[in-house]
Coordinates of all heavy atoms in Angstrom, one line a residue:
M1 N 0.8 -1.2 0.0 CA 0.0 0.0 0.0 C 0.9 1.3 0.0 O 1.8 1.4 0.8 CB -0.9 0.0 1.2 CG -1.8 1.2 1.3 SD -2.8 1.1 2.8 CE -4.2 1.9 2.1
R2 N 0.6 2.2 -0.9 CA 1.3 3.4 -1.0 C 0.8 4.4 0.1 O -0.3 4.5 0.4 CB 1.2 4.0 -2.3 CG 1.8 3.2 -3.4 CD 1.6 3.8 -4.8 NE 0.9 5.1 -4.8 CZ 1.0 6.0 -5.7 NH1 1.7 5.7 -6.8 NH2 0.3 7.1 -5.6
D3 N 1.8 5.2 0.6 CA 1.4 6.2 1.5 C 1.6 7.6 0.9 O 2.0 7.7 -0.3 CB 2.2 6.1 2.9 CG 3.7 6.3 2.7 OD1 4.1 6.7 1.6 OD2 4.4 6.0 3.7
A4 N 1.3 8.7 1.7 CA 1.4 10.0 1.2 C 2.8 10.3 0.7 O 3.0 11.0 -0.3 CB 1.0 11.0 2.2
L5 N 3.9 9.9 1.4 CA 5.2 10.1 1.0 C 5.5 9.5 -0.4 O 6.1 10.2 -1.3 CB 6.2 9.6 2.0 CG 7.7 9.8 1.6 CD1 8.0 11.2 1.4 CD2 8.6 9.2 2.7
D6 N 5.1 8.3 -0.6 CA 5.3 7.6 -1.9 C 4.6 8.5 -3.0 O 5.2 8.6 -4.1 CB 4.7 6.2 -1.9 CG 5.4 5.3 -1.0 OD1 6.6 5.4 -0.9 OD2 4.8 4.3 -0.5
E7 N 3.4 9.0 -2.8 CA 2.7 9.8 -3.7 C 3.5 11.1 -4.0 O 3.6 11.5 -5.2 CB 1.3 10.1 -3.3 CG 0.4 8.9 -3.3 CD -0.9 9.1 -2.7 OE1 -1.3 10.3 -2.4 OE2 -1.7 8.1 -2.6
Q8 N 4.0 11.7 -3.0 CA 4.8 13.0 -3.2 C 6.1 12.7 -4.0 O 6.4 13.5 -4.9 CB 5.2 13.6 -1.8 CG 4.1 13.9 -0.9 CD 3.1 15.0 -1.4 OE1 3.0 15.3 -2.5 NE2 2.5 15.6 -0.4
I9 N 6.8 11.6 -3.7 CA 8.0 11.3 -4.4 C 7.7 11.0 -5.9 O 8.4 11.4 -6.8 CB 8.7 10.1 -3.7 CG1 9.3 10.6 -2.4 CG2 9.8 9.6 -4.6 CD1 9.8 9.4 -1.5
E10 N 6.6 10.2 -6.1 CA 6.2 9.9 -7.5 C 5.9 11.1 -8.3 O 6.3 11.3 -9.4 CB 5.0 8.9 -7.4 CG 4.6 8.4 -8.8 CD 3.4 7.5 -8.6 OE1 3.6 6.3 -8.2 OE2 2.3 7.9 -9.0
A11 N 5.2 12.0 -7.7 CA 4.8 13.3 -8.4 C 6.1 14.1 -8.6 O 6.2 14.6 -9.7 CB 3.8 14.1 -7.5
Y12 N 6.9 14.2 -7.7 CA 8.2 14.9 -7.8 C 9.0 14.4 -9.0 O 9.5 15.1 -9.8 CB 9.0 14.9 -6.5 CG 10.4 15.4 -6.7 CD1 10.7 16.8 -6.8 CD2 11.5 14.6 -6.8 CE1 11.9 17.3 -7.0 CE2 12.8 15.0 -7.0 CZ 13.0 16.4 -7.1 OH 14.3 16.8 -7.3
Q13 N 9.2 13.1 -9.0 CA 10.0 12.4 -10.1 C 9.4 12.7 -11.4 O 10.1 12.9 -12.4 CB 10.0 10.9 -9.8 CG 10.9 10.5 -8.6 CD 12.3 10.9 -8.8 OE1 12.8 11.3 -9.8 NE2 13.0 10.8 -7.6
A14 N 8.0 12.7 -11.5 CA 7.4 13.0 -12.8 C 7.6 14.4 -13.2 O 7.7 14.7 -14.4 CB 5.9 12.7 -12.7
M15 N 7.7 15.4 -12.3 CA 7.8 16.8 -12.6 C 9.3 17.2 -12.7 O 9.6 18.3 -13.2 CB 7.2 17.6 -11.4 CG 5.8 17.5 -11.3 SD 5.2 18.6 -10.0 CE 5.5 17.7 -8.5
L16 N 10.2 16.4 -12.3 CA 11.6 16.7 -12.2 C 12.2 17.3 -13.5 O 12.9 18.3 -13.5 CB 12.5 15.6 -11.7 CG 13.9 15.9 -11.4 CD1 14.1 17.1 -10.5 CD2 14.6 14.6 -10.8
P17 N 12.0 16.7 -14.6 CA 12.6 17.2 -15.9 C 12.1 18.7 -16.1 O 12.9 19.5 -16.5 CB 12.1 16.3 -17.0 CG 11.9 15.0 -16.3 CD 11.3 15.4 -14.9
D18 N 10.8 18.9 -15.9 CA 10.3 20.3 -16.1 C 10.8 21.3 -15.1 O 11.1 22.4 -15.4 CB 8.7 20.3 -16.1 CG 8.1 19.6 -17.3 OD1 8.8 19.6 -18.4 OD2 7.0 19.1 -17.1
I19 N 10.9 20.8 -13.8 CA 11.5 21.7 -12.8 C 12.9 22.1 -13.1 O 13.3 23.2 -13.1 CB 11.4 21.0 -11.4 CG1 10.0 20.7 -11.0 CG2 12.1 21.9 -10.4 CD1 9.9 19.8 -9.8
R20 N 13.7 21.1 -13.6 CA 15.1 21.4 -13.9 C 15.2 22.3 -15.1 O 16.0 23.2 -15.1 CB 15.8 20.1 -14.2 CG 16.3 19.3 -13.0 CD 17.0 18.1 -13.4 NE 17.5 17.3 -12.2 CZ 17.7 16.0 -12.2 NH1 17.5 15.3 -13.3 NH2 18.2 15.4 -11.2
S21 N 14.4 22.1 -16.1 CA 14.5 22.9 -17.3 C 14.0 24.4 -17.0 O 14.5 25.3 -17.6 CB 13.7 22.3 -18.5 OG 12.3 22.4 -18.3
Q22 N 13.0 24.5 -16.1 CA 12.5 25.8 -15.9 C 13.2 26.6 -14.7 O 13.3 27.8 -14.7 CB 11.0 25.7 -15.5 CG 10.1 25.3 -16.7 CD 8.7 25.1 -16.3 OE1 8.2 25.6 -15.3 NE2 8.0 24.3 -17.0
H23 N 13.7 25.8 -13.8 CA 14.3 26.5 -12.6 C 15.7 26.1 -12.3 O 16.4 26.8 -11.5 CB 13.4 26.1 -11.3 CG 12.0 26.4 -11.4 ND1 11.5 27.7 -11.3 CD2 10.9 25.7 -11.8 CE1 10.2 27.7 -11.4 NE2 9.8 26.5 -11.8
G24 N 16.3 25.1 -12.9 CA 17.7 24.7 -12.7 C 17.9 24.0 -11.4 O 17.1 23.1 -11.0
S25 N 19.0 24.3 -10.8 CA 19.4 23.6 -9.6 C 18.8 24.4 -8.4 O 19.3 25.4 -7.9 CB 20.9 23.7 -9.5 OG 21.4 23.1 -8.3
V26 N 17.7 23.8 -7.8 CA 17.0 24.4 -6.7 C 16.4 23.4 -5.8 O 16.5 22.2 -6.0 CB 15.7 25.2 -7.3 CG1 16.2 26.4 -8.2 CG2 14.8 24.3 -8.1
W27 N 15.9 23.9 -4.7 CA 15.1 23.1 -3.7 C 13.7 23.1 -4.1 O 13.1 24.2 -4.1 CB 15.4 23.5 -2.3 CG 16.7 23.3 -1.8 CD1 17.8 24.1 -1.8 CD2 17.2 22.0 -1.2 NE1 18.9 23.5 -1.3 CE2 18.5 22.2 -0.9 CE3 16.5 20.8 -0.9 CZ2 19.3 21.2 -0.3 CZ3 17.3 19.8 -0.2 CH2 18.6 20.0 0.0
A28 N 13.1 22.0 -4.4 CA 11.7 22.0 -4.8 C 10.8 21.6 -3.6 O 11.1 20.6 -2.9 CB 11.5 21.0 -6.0
L29 N 9.7 22.3 -3.4 CA 8.7 21.9 -2.4 C 7.5 21.4 -3.1 O 6.9 22.0 -3.9 CB 8.4 23.2 -1.6 CG 7.2 23.1 -0.6 CD1 7.5 22.0 0.5 CD2 7.0 24.4 0.1
V30 N 7.1 20.1 -2.7 CA 6.0 19.4 -3.3 C 5.0 19.1 -2.2 O 5.4 18.6 -1.1 CB 6.4 18.1 -4.0 CG1 5.2 17.4 -4.5 CG2 7.4 18.4 -5.1
A31 N 3.7 19.5 -2.4 CA 2.6 19.2 -1.5 C 1.4 18.8 -2.3 O 1.2 19.4 -3.4 CB 2.3 20.4 -0.6
D32 N 0.7 17.9 -1.8 CA -0.6 17.5 -2.5 C -0.2 17.1 -4.0 O -1.0 17.3 -4.9 CB -1.6 18.5 -2.5 CG -2.1 18.9 -1.1 OD1 -2.2 17.9 -0.3 OD2 -2.3 20.1 -0.8
R33 N 0.9 16.5 -4.2 CA 1.4 16.0 -5.5 C 1.5 17.1 -6.5 O 1.4 16.9 -7.7 CB 0.4 14.9 -6.0 CG 0.4 13.6 -5.1 CD -0.5 12.6 -5.5 NE -1.9 13.0 -5.6 CZ -2.7 13.2 -4.5 NH1 -2.3 12.9 -3.3 NH2 -4.0 13.6 -4.7
K34 N 1.8 18.3 -6.0 CA 2.0 19.5 -6.9 C 3.2 20.2 -6.5 O 3.5 20.3 -5.3 CB 0.8 20.4 -6.9 CG -0.5 19.8 -7.4 CD -1.7 20.8 -7.3 CE -2.9 20.1 -7.7 NZ -4.0 20.1 -6.8
L35 N 3.9 20.8 -7.5 CA 5.0 21.7 -7.1 C 4.5 23.0 -6.5 O 3.7 23.7 -7.2 CB 5.8 22.0 -8.4 CG 7.0 23.0 -8.2 CD1 8.1 22.4 -7.3 CD2 7.6 23.4 -9.5
V36 N 4.9 23.3 -5.3 CA 4.4 24.5 -4.6 C 5.3 25.7 -5.1 O 4.8 26.7 -5.5 CB 4.5 24.3 -3.1 CG1 4.2 25.7 -2.4 CG2 3.5 23.3 -2.7
S37 N 6.6 25.5 -5.0 CA 7.6 26.5 -5.3 C 9.0 26.0 -5.3 O 9.2 24.8 -4.8 CB 7.5 27.7 -4.4 OG 8.2 28.8 -4.9
C38 N 9.9 26.8 -5.8 CA 11.3 26.4 -5.8 C 12.1 27.4 -5.0 O 11.7 28.6 -5.0 CB 11.9 26.3 -7.2 SG 11.1 25.0 -8.2
F39 N 13.1 27.0 -4.3 CA 13.9 27.9 -3.4 C 15.4 27.7 -3.6 O 15.8 26.6 -4.0 CB 13.5 27.5 -2.0 CG 12.1 27.7 -1.6 CD1 11.2 26.6 -1.9 CD2 11.6 28.8 -1.1 CE1 9.8 26.8 -1.6 CE2 10.3 29.0 -0.8 CZ 9.4 28.0 -1.0
P40 N 16.1 28.8 -3.4 CA 17.6 28.7 -3.6 C 18.3 28.0 -2.5 O 19.4 27.5 -2.7 CB 18.0 30.2 -3.6 CG 17.0 30.9 -2.8 CD 15.7 30.1 -3.0
D41 N 17.7 27.9 -1.3 CA 18.3 27.1 -0.3 C 17.3 26.3 0.6 O 16.1 26.7 0.5 CB 19.1 28.0 0.7 CG 18.3 29.2 1.2 OD1 17.4 28.9 2.1 OD2 18.6 30.3 0.8
F42 N 17.8 25.3 1.2 CA 16.9 24.4 2.0 C 16.1 25.2 3.1 O 15.0 24.9 3.3 CB 17.7 23.3 2.6 CG 16.9 22.4 3.5 CD1 16.1 21.4 2.9 CD2 16.9 22.5 4.8 CE1 15.4 20.6 3.7 CE2 16.1 21.7 5.6 CZ 15.4 20.7 5.1
S43 N 16.8 26.1 3.8 CA 16.2 26.7 4.9 C 15.0 27.5 4.5 O 14.0 27.6 5.2 CB 17.2 27.6 5.7 OG 17.7 28.6 4.9
A44 N 15.1 28.2 3.3 CA 13.9 28.9 2.8 C 12.7 28.0 2.5 O 11.6 28.3 2.8 CB 14.3 29.7 1.6
A45 N 13.0 26.9 1.9 CA 12.0 25.9 1.6 C 11.3 25.4 2.9 O 10.1 25.3 3.0 CB 12.5 24.8 0.8
A46 N 12.2 25.0 3.9 CA 11.6 24.5 5.1 C 10.8 25.5 5.9 O 9.8 25.2 6.4 CB 12.8 24.0 6.0
R47 N 11.3 26.8 5.9 CA 10.5 27.9 6.5 C 9.2 28.1 5.9 O 8.2 28.2 6.5 CB 11.4 29.1 6.5 CG 10.9 30.2 7.4 CD 11.9 31.4 7.5 NE 12.7 31.7 6.3 CZ 14.0 31.4 6.1 NH1 14.6 30.7 7.0 NH2 14.6 31.7 4.9
Y48 N 9.1 28.1 4.5 CA 7.9 28.2 3.8 C 6.9 27.1 4.2 O 5.8 27.3 4.4 CB 8.1 28.3 2.3 CG 6.9 28.6 1.5 CD1 6.6 29.9 1.1 CD2 6.0 27.6 1.1 CE1 5.5 30.2 0.4 CE2 4.9 27.8 0.4 CZ 4.6 29.1 0.0 OH 3.5 29.4 -0.7
A49 N 7.5 25.8 4.1 CA 6.7 24.7 4.5 C 6.1 24.8 5.8 O 4.9 24.5 6.0 CB 7.5 23.4 4.3
D50 N 6.9 25.2 6.8 CA 6.4 25.3 8.2 C 5.3 26.4 8.3 O 4.3 26.2 9.0 CB 7.6 25.7 9.1 CG 7.2 25.5 10.6 OD1 6.5 24.6 10.9 OD2 7.6 26.4 11.3
E51 N 5.5 27.5 7.6 CA 4.6 28.6 7.7 C 3.2 28.3 7.0 O 2.2 28.8 7.4 CB 5.2 29.9 7.1 CG 6.3 30.5 8.0 CD 7.1 31.6 7.3 OE1 6.8 31.9 6.1 OE2 8.0 32.1 7.9
H52 N 3.3 27.6 5.9 CA 2.1 27.4 5.0 C 1.5 26.0 5.1 O 0.3 25.9 4.8 CB 2.5 27.7 3.6 CG 2.8 29.1 3.3 ND1 4.0 29.6 3.5 CD2 2.0 30.2 3.0 CE1 4.0 30.9 3.2 NE2 2.8 31.3 2.9
Y53 N 2.2 25.0 5.6 CA 1.6 23.7 5.7 C 1.6 23.1 7.1 O 1.0 22.0 7.3 CB 2.4 22.8 4.7 CG 2.1 23.1 3.3 CD1 3.0 24.0 2.6 CD2 1.0 22.6 2.7 CE1 2.7 24.4 1.3 CE2 0.8 23.0 1.4 CZ 1.6 23.9 0.7 OH 1.3 24.2 -0.6
G54 N 2.2 23.8 8.1 CA 2.1 23.3 9.4 C 2.5 21.9 9.6 O 3.6 21.5 9.3
T55 N 1.5 21.1 10.0 CA 1.8 19.6 10.3 C 1.5 18.7 9.1 O 1.7 17.5 9.2 CB 0.9 19.1 11.5 OG1 -0.5 19.3 11.1 CG2 1.2 19.9 12.7
K56 N 1.1 19.3 8.0 CA 0.9 18.5 6.8 C 2.2 18.0 6.2 O 3.2 18.8 6.1 CB 0.1 19.4 5.7 CG -0.3 18.6 4.5 CD -1.2 19.5 3.7 CE -1.8 18.6 2.5 NZ -2.7 19.4 1.7
Q57 N 2.2 16.8 5.7 CA 3.4 16.2 5.2 C 3.7 16.8 3.8 O 2.8 16.8 2.9 CB 3.3 14.7 5.1 CG 4.6 14.0 4.7 CD 4.4 12.5 4.6 OE1 3.6 12.0 3.9 NE2 5.2 11.8 5.4
V58 N 4.9 17.3 3.6 CA 5.4 17.8 2.3 C 6.7 17.2 2.0 O 7.4 16.7 2.9 CB 5.4 19.3 2.2 CG1 4.1 20.0 2.5 CG2 6.5 19.9 3.2
L59 N 7.1 17.3 0.7 CA 8.5 16.8 0.3 C 9.3 18.0 -0.1 O 8.9 18.8 -0.9 CB 8.3 15.9 -0.9 CG 9.6 15.3 -1.5 CD1 10.2 14.3 -0.6 CD2 9.2 14.6 -2.8
I60 N 10.5 18.1 0.4 CA 11.5 19.1 -0.1 C 12.7 18.3 -0.6 O 13.3 17.5 0.2 CB 12.0 20.0 1.1 CG1 10.8 20.8 1.7 CG2 13.0 21.0 0.6 CD1 11.1 21.6 2.9
R61 N 13.0 18.5 -1.8 CA 14.2 17.8 -2.4 C 14.9 18.7 -3.4 O 14.3 19.5 -4.1 CB 13.6 16.5 -3.1 CG 14.7 15.6 -3.5 CD 14.2 14.3 -4.1 NE 14.2 13.3 -3.1 CZ 13.9 12.0 -3.3 NH1 13.4 11.6 -4.4 NH2 14.0 11.1 -2.3
H62 N 16.2 18.5 -3.4 CA 17.1 19.3 -4.4 C 17.1 18.6 -5.7 O 17.1 17.4 -5.8 CB 18.5 19.4 -3.8 CG 19.2 20.5 -4.5 ND1 19.8 20.4 -5.7 CD2 19.4 21.8 -4.1 CE1 20.4 21.5 -6.1 NE2 20.1 22.4 -5.1
T63 N 17.0 19.4 -6.8 CA 16.9 18.9 -8.1 C 18.2 18.2 -8.6 O 18.1 17.4 -9.5 CB 16.5 20.0 -9.1 OG1 17.5 21.0 -9.0 CG2 15.2 20.5 -8.9
D64 N 19.3 18.4 -7.9 CA 20.5 17.7 -8.2 C 20.7 16.4 -7.4 O 21.7 15.7 -7.7 CB 21.7 18.6 -8.0 CG 21.7 19.7 -9.0 OD1 21.1 19.6 -10.1 OD2 22.4 20.8 -8.7
E65 N 19.8 16.1 -6.5 CA 20.0 14.8 -5.7 C 19.8 13.6 -6.6 O 19.0 13.6 -7.5 CB 19.0 14.8 -4.6 CG 19.2 15.7 -3.5 CD 18.2 15.6 -2.4 OE1 17.2 14.9 -2.5 OE2 18.4 16.3 -1.3
A66 N 20.5 12.6 -6.2 CA 20.3 11.3 -6.9 C 19.0 10.7 -6.4 O 18.6 10.9 -5.2 CB 21.5 10.3 -6.5
P67 N 18.3 10.0 -7.3 CA 17.0 9.5 -6.9 C 17.0 8.6 -5.7 O 16.0 8.5 -4.9 CB 16.5 8.7 -8.1 CG 17.3 9.2 -9.2 CD 18.6 9.7 -8.6
E68 N 18.1 7.9 -5.4 CA 18.1 7.0 -4.3 C 18.4 7.6 -2.9 O 18.3 7.0 -1.9 CB 19.1 5.8 -4.5 CG 20.6 6.3 -4.6 CD 21.0 6.8 -6.0 OE1 20.2 6.7 -6.9 OE2 22.1 7.2 -6.2
M69 N 18.6 8.9 -2.9 CA 18.9 9.6 -1.7 C 17.6 9.8 -0.9 O 16.5 9.9 -1.4 CB 19.4 11.0 -1.9 CG 20.8 11.0 -2.5 SD 21.5 12.6 -2.7 CE 21.7 13.2 -1.0
A70 N 17.7 9.7 0.4 CA 16.5 9.9 1.3 C 15.9 11.3 1.2 O 16.7 12.2 1.2 CB 16.9 9.6 2.7
P71 N 14.6 11.4 1.0 CA 14.0 12.7 0.9 C 13.9 13.4 2.3 O 13.9 12.7 3.3 CB 12.6 12.4 0.4 CG 12.3 11.1 0.9 CD 13.6 10.3 1.0
Y72 N 13.7 14.7 2.2 CA 13.4 15.4 3.5 C 11.9 15.5 3.5 O 11.3 16.0 2.5 CB 14.0 16.9 3.4 CG 13.5 17.7 4.6 CD1 14.0 17.5 5.9 CD2 12.4 18.5 4.4 CE1 13.5 18.2 6.9 CE2 11.9 19.3 5.5 CZ 12.5 19.1 6.7 OH 12.0 19.8 7.8
V73 N 11.3 15.1 4.6 CA 9.8 15.2 4.7 C 9.6 16.1 5.9 O 10.0 15.9 7.0 CB 9.3 13.8 5.0 CG1 7.8 13.8 5.2 CG2 9.6 12.8 3.9
H74 N 8.8 17.1 5.6 CA 8.5 18.1 6.7 C 7.1 17.7 7.3 O 6.2 17.5 6.6 CB 8.4 19.5 6.1 CG 7.9 20.5 7.0 ND1 8.8 21.0 8.0 CD2 6.7 21.0 7.3 CE1 8.1 21.9 8.7 NE2 6.8 21.9 8.3
I75 N 7.1 17.6 8.6 CA 5.9 17.2 9.3 C 5.4 18.4 10.2 O 4.3 18.4 10.7 CB 6.0 15.9 10.0 CG1 6.3 14.8 9.0 CG2 4.7 15.5 10.8 CD1 6.5 13.4 9.5
G76 N 6.2 19.4 10.4 CA 5.9 20.5 11.3 C 5.9 20.1 12.7 O 6.3 19.1 13.1
H77 N 5.5 21.1 13.6 CA 5.5 20.9 15.0 C 4.2 21.3 15.6 O 3.3 21.6 15.1 CB 6.7 21.5 15.7 CG 7.2 22.8 15.1 ND1 6.9 24.0 15.6 CD2 8.1 22.9 14.1 CE1 7.5 24.9 14.9 NE2 8.3 24.3 14.0

């Protein structure tokens, strides 16, 4: 059974070529299987996720990461 993280990762992987071509080397924030925004650094992406998504699970991943790397999952506090 797939969980929300699997769905976020799958959506991110499908969007990755477009994200790279439009935004280059950035931190991508994915929520609800959609690209929310791209950020120049991880802390800006995490801060945005915390402010706008609270405890909702989102995915933050750098476009240059290898697919097998563990994702950052924001769950809030």
Side-chain angles (χ1 to χ4, degrees):
M1 178 177 212
R2 292 177 7 156
D3 63 10
L5 178 57
D6 291 331
E7 291 176 5
Q8 303 293 25
I9 292 171
E10 184 178 288
Y12 169 79
Q13 292 296 347
M15 293 183 281
L16 185 55
D18 290 334
I19 297 170
R20 282 183 176 152
S21 70
Q22 293 175 22
H23 303 281
S25 179
V26 295
W27 288 93
L29 171 60
V30 177
D32 299 321
R33 297 176 303 281
K34 296 179 182 128
L35 177 65
V36 173
S37 192
C38 295
F39 299 86
D41 56 69
F42 176 82
S43 61
R47 193 169 35 256
Y48 186 94
D50 191 42
E51 291 169 1
H52 292 88
Y53 290 93
T55 60
K56 186 172 186 176
Q57 188 179 59
V58 300
L59 176 71
I60 300 172
R61 192 173 257 185
H62 198 277
T63 56
D64 291 338
E65 287 180 353
E68 63 276 359
M69 291 182 72
Y72 172 80
V73 180
H74 176 78
I75 301 182
H77 28 98

